[in-house]
Amino acid sequence: MSSTFRLQHVHEPLLEFGGDGRHPDVRFGLVDHGPVDFSTNETRTVRVGLIGSSETVDGFREWFARCESEIPAKPSRQPNLFPSFPGSGVTGPFRCWFEIDRHHQRILRAASLAKVTGEERDDVAIRLAVELFVEEIRDLSESDRPPQVVVCALPVELIERVKNLRGPEDGEVGPRGEEGEGEAGNDTEDTRLYEDFRGALKAATLAYRIPIQIVWPSTYDERAVIKRKLAKLSARRVQDEATRAWNLFCALYYKAGGTPWRMVRERDEFSATFLGISFFEDLGRTSLRTSSAQLFDERGEGLILKGGRALRDKNDRHPYLSEEDAYALTKNSLGTYKREWGTFPARLVVHKSSPFHPEEAAGFEAAIDDLGIDQADLIWLPRRSPVRLMRDGDYPPLRGTAMRLDRDTSLLYTRGSVDFFATYPGLYVPNPLMLKAHRRDRTEWDMLLKETLALTKMNWNNTQFDGGLPITMRAARQVGEILKHVGEGQVPDPRYRFYM
């Protein structure tokens, strides 16, 4: 019996940096060419605010100054995976100055922190912790020359209170500090408690138009220890120092309004934008609401919009939008895009975390037709693929390995072995991404796969380029954790840098 499966390898997409420089790797591209918005006419200064206890402010400032010089690479047989950090000065990868002015520094009172850590009720402790930072951010925003981004350097005792439930501790661990903002998400109660704090803090500061960067002590001090409730997580370790510096300064640069890199678009291609639709629970965890429309273009600009309530399919229980809400969300998203950039895109790609319901798809397509969008592709990306590929030898398939299953379905390995790294950089057997096309105006699957792979590299919190999810889907969870704290009738700032 002959197979109709088509196996191929999508080459690692290049990214664009300063001076039209191209490179597949974020860090090497920045070192060689600088950020894509770099200009020789003016030296940019990124003004960084800093809020924390006296201990965390001193510790962060000391490490911040240390990062002005080179941070050596981690000893490794994969030098491309663990390069050194060249330094944050004007000759460094971001070609700018990062400064913390004393006027942009705020010390939290010990008595105020003690009130948070001594509070028995979790919800009250979170509210008090949020209020501590919001008061200082409000003050910074009203200064004559406010900072462009504020670092919230969390004290250990505050993290332990808002991350761990009350009860005996079974072990200790220095948190991994992934992507510069605490620990990667595990679906445990203590993690959800921390996400409530993080989401509430970011939602409460949206009105002051200054993005914030949450930093744990483990970012600047490998000796920092955070007590954990769950002993089984005690094996987690921090990233190497150079990687932490790369991730932090990249996030600060982007949040301050910079564009470190962007996707490469060929001159003869339609201008395209990518819309991610996902769902989140409300604060009471009693109903679903659209997480948002996560709208990204090739330039790396992201726009976030809050949508209407979700419905549940009576057969498979997958969430979907009514025709009216799908129409409104698409039209509002592209209307916001036009207000930002002066025109509609010629092509729209919609990524969705659940199947396209006929009623929902009709709403998307009606909005696309009404706005005169020339081309559209509606792609469902299931969370898990039921199919995996095996490769001879000890390593998983190469990142970029793809297989067509039928006319409208394809597998794509966005995590896997990477030639440039000379290894597989993950810890677990990778699961491929599945792409199921509901509508496909772009007839070439090759281009859809290449775009999806490129979108996995548009994560400005992490400079290792082999992300598993495209930014349209990667942003969904963190955006939902913030938007659920945004009240009805409140219109949040649409720029993605406030939600990272």
Side-chain angles (χ1 to χ4, degrees):
M1 181 177 178
S2 63
S3 172
T4 58
F5 296 162
R6 179 192 173 199
L7 187 66
Q8 66 181 110
H9 181 254
V10 180
H11 292 293
E12 192 63 56
L14 296 175
L15 296 171
E16 181 181 346
F17 299 91
D20 201 33
R22 309 291 173 92
H23 203 284
D25 184 89
V26 169
R27 294 164 292 191
F28 288 85
L30 286 169
V31 169
D32 292 346
H33 307 291
V36 73
D37 60 350
F38 169 66
S39 171
T40 57
N41 297 326
E42 181 182 3
T43 301
R44 181 195 296 259
T45 297
V46 174
R47 302 188 304 276
V48 180
L50 178 59
I51 303 171
S53 67
S54 58
E55 182 179 358
T56 62
V57 165
D58 287 346
F60 183 81
R61 284 191 68 104
E62 181 179 336
W63 187 71
F64 192 83
R66 168 175 160 74
C67 289
E68 292 177 4
S69 304
E70 181 180 12
I71 303 295
K74 168 185 175 179
S76 171
R77 290 180 295 178
Q78 288 86 31
N80 285 355
L81 181 58
F82 300 108
S84 64
F85 179 68
S88 62
V90 73
T91 59
F94 300 99
R95 313 293 200 264
C96 71
W97 298 109
F98 292 86
E99 68 172 21
I100 302 176
D101 190 289
R102 291 287 178 181
H103 294 96
H104 293 155
Q105 178 178 297
R106 298 290 186 272
I107 305 295
L108 300 174
R109 295 172 58 243
S112 299
L113 288 169
K115 188 175 180 180
V116 174
T117 57
E119 173 57 50
E120 288 295 324
R121 286 182 53 183
D122 293 334
D123 59 336
V124 176
I126 289 173
R127 176 175 58 80
L128 292 174
V130 168
E131 289 174 354
L132 279 181
F133 288 95
V134 169
E135 181 179 349
E136 302 298 346
I137 291 169
R138 181 192 302 116
D139 183 57
L140 287 172
S141 72
E142 294 171 352
S143 59
D144 291 337
R145 193 167 177 263
Q148 295 160 298
V149 58
V150 171
V151 169
C152 297
L154 304 186
V156 169
E157 62 271 25
L158 187 145
I159 296 171
E160 290 176 350
R161 180 62 193 94
V162 302
K163 186 165 181 64
N164 296 320
L165 290 173
R166 290 299 192 188
E169 305 298 340
D170 297 319
E172 296 182 342
V173 61
R176 185 169 176 234
E178 184 169 308
E179 299 183 356
E181 292 205 9
E183 198 155 306
N186 285 290
D187 193 19
T188 59
E189 189 62 38
D190 65 319
T191 298
R192 289 199 297 271
L193 197 64
Y194 172 71
E195 286 173 346
D196 282 346
F197 163 73
R198 177 187 179 278
L201 177 58
K202 295 215 169 190
T205 56
L206 286 174
Y208 304 112
R209 303 298 178 96
I210 302 177
I212 64 173
Q213 178 76 14
I214 299 174
V215 171
W216 286 26
S218 56
T219 299
Y220 52 85
D221 183 2
E222 294 181 358
R223 300 167 299 176
V225 175
I226 312 294
K227 293 180 181 179
R228 291 301 307 271
K229 182 176 176 62
L230 302 177
K232 67 181 181 180
L233 299 178
S234 61
R236 306 193 73 169
R237 294 294 180 264
V238 297
Q239 295 171 320
D240 65 282
E241 186 178 20
T243 297
R244 298 197 308 270
W246 269 112
N247 292 345
L248 176 71
F249 283 93
C250 182
L252 293 178
Y253 186 82
Y254 179 76
K255 290 184 179 184
T259 306
W261 64 86
R262 64 186 174 196
M263 294 168 60
V264 175
R265 180 168 65 87
E266 303 301 330
R267 296 183 184 276
D268 58 347
E269 293 291 335
F270 283 103
S271 63
T273 194
F274 304 88
L275 177 65
I277 306 291
S278 58
F279 303 91
F280 68 91
E281 291 179 319
D282 63 15
L283 273 177
R285 298 191 172 95
T286 58
S287 63
L288 282 174
R289 169 179 289 279
T290 57
S291 169
S292 65
Q294 290 94 229
L295 191 69
F296 294 89
D297 64 12
E298 299 107 324
R299 290 169 289 196
E301 299 294 341
L303 300 173
I304 306 300
L305 287 94
K306 192 175 183 180
R309 289 199 176 277
L311 306 174
R312 288 278 193 184
D313 189 285
K314 63 182 179 181
N315 295 317
D316 58 21
R317 304 297 296 163
H318 283 299
Y320 70 95
L321 293 170
S322 68
E323 180 174 351
E324 180 182 357
D325 282 341
Y327 178 90
L329 189 56
T330 307
K331 194 167 184 178
N332 290 341
S333 300
L334 293 176
T336 303
Y337 179 96
K338 185 177 181 181
R339 286 192 296 274
E340 291 284 331
W341 307 115
T343 184
F344 289 120
R347 177 168 167 259
L348 176 67
V349 181
V350 179
H351 287 164
K352 190 166 175 286
S353 57
S354 57
F356 287 87
H357 189 277
E359 178 183 348
E360 177 182 57
F364 288 135
E365 292 179 341
I368 289 166
D369 291 342
D370 286 354
L371 296 177
I373 306 299
D374 295 315
Q375 287 191 3
D377 299 287
L378 308 183
I379 310 294
W380 169 33
L381 288 80
R383 290 185 179 274
R384 292 286 178 182
S385 166
V387 179
R388 290 188 183 183
L389 305 179
M390 304 299 292
R391 179 186 177 198
D392 288 340
D394 298 329
Y395 290 95
L398 291 171
R399 169 176 152 91
T401 299
M403 175 180 279
R404 283 279 302 281
L405 300 182
D406 57 43
R407 180 182 179 278
D408 296 319
T409 309
S410 186
L411 296 179
L412 175 64
Y413 272 85
T414 54
R415 297 299 310 274
S417 303
V418 179
D419 279 340
F420 186 76
F421 295 152
T423 189
Y424 168 56
L427 298 176
Y428 307 102
V429 176
N431 195 55
L433 199 63
M434 178 175 281
L435 289 77
K436 298 179 73 70
H438 178 87
R439 167 177 168 175
R440 185 161 56 92
D441 291 352
R442 182 80 199 216
T443 57
E444 309 93 336
W445 260 109
D446 291 2
M447 181 56 69
L448 288 171
L449 296 172
K450 180 180 177 182
E451 287 175 340
T452 304
L453 199 63
L455 286 167
T456 67
K457 306 172 85 160
M458 304 301 285
N459 176 16
W460 302 274
N461 261 336
N462 191 348
T463 52
Q464 184 174 308
F465 68 72
D466 64 325
L469 289 174
I471 189 63
T472 47
M473 294 288 97
R474 173 178 288 275
R477 180 174 180 177
Q478 61 186 176
V479 167
E481 289 299 328
I482 296 167
L483 286 183
K484 72 181 181 182
H485 294 275
V486 175
E488 293 293 337
Q490 181 183 347
V491 180
D493 193 300
R495 289 170 291 176
Y496 175 59
R497 61 178 58 96
F498 290 93
Y499 299 84
M500 289 172 54

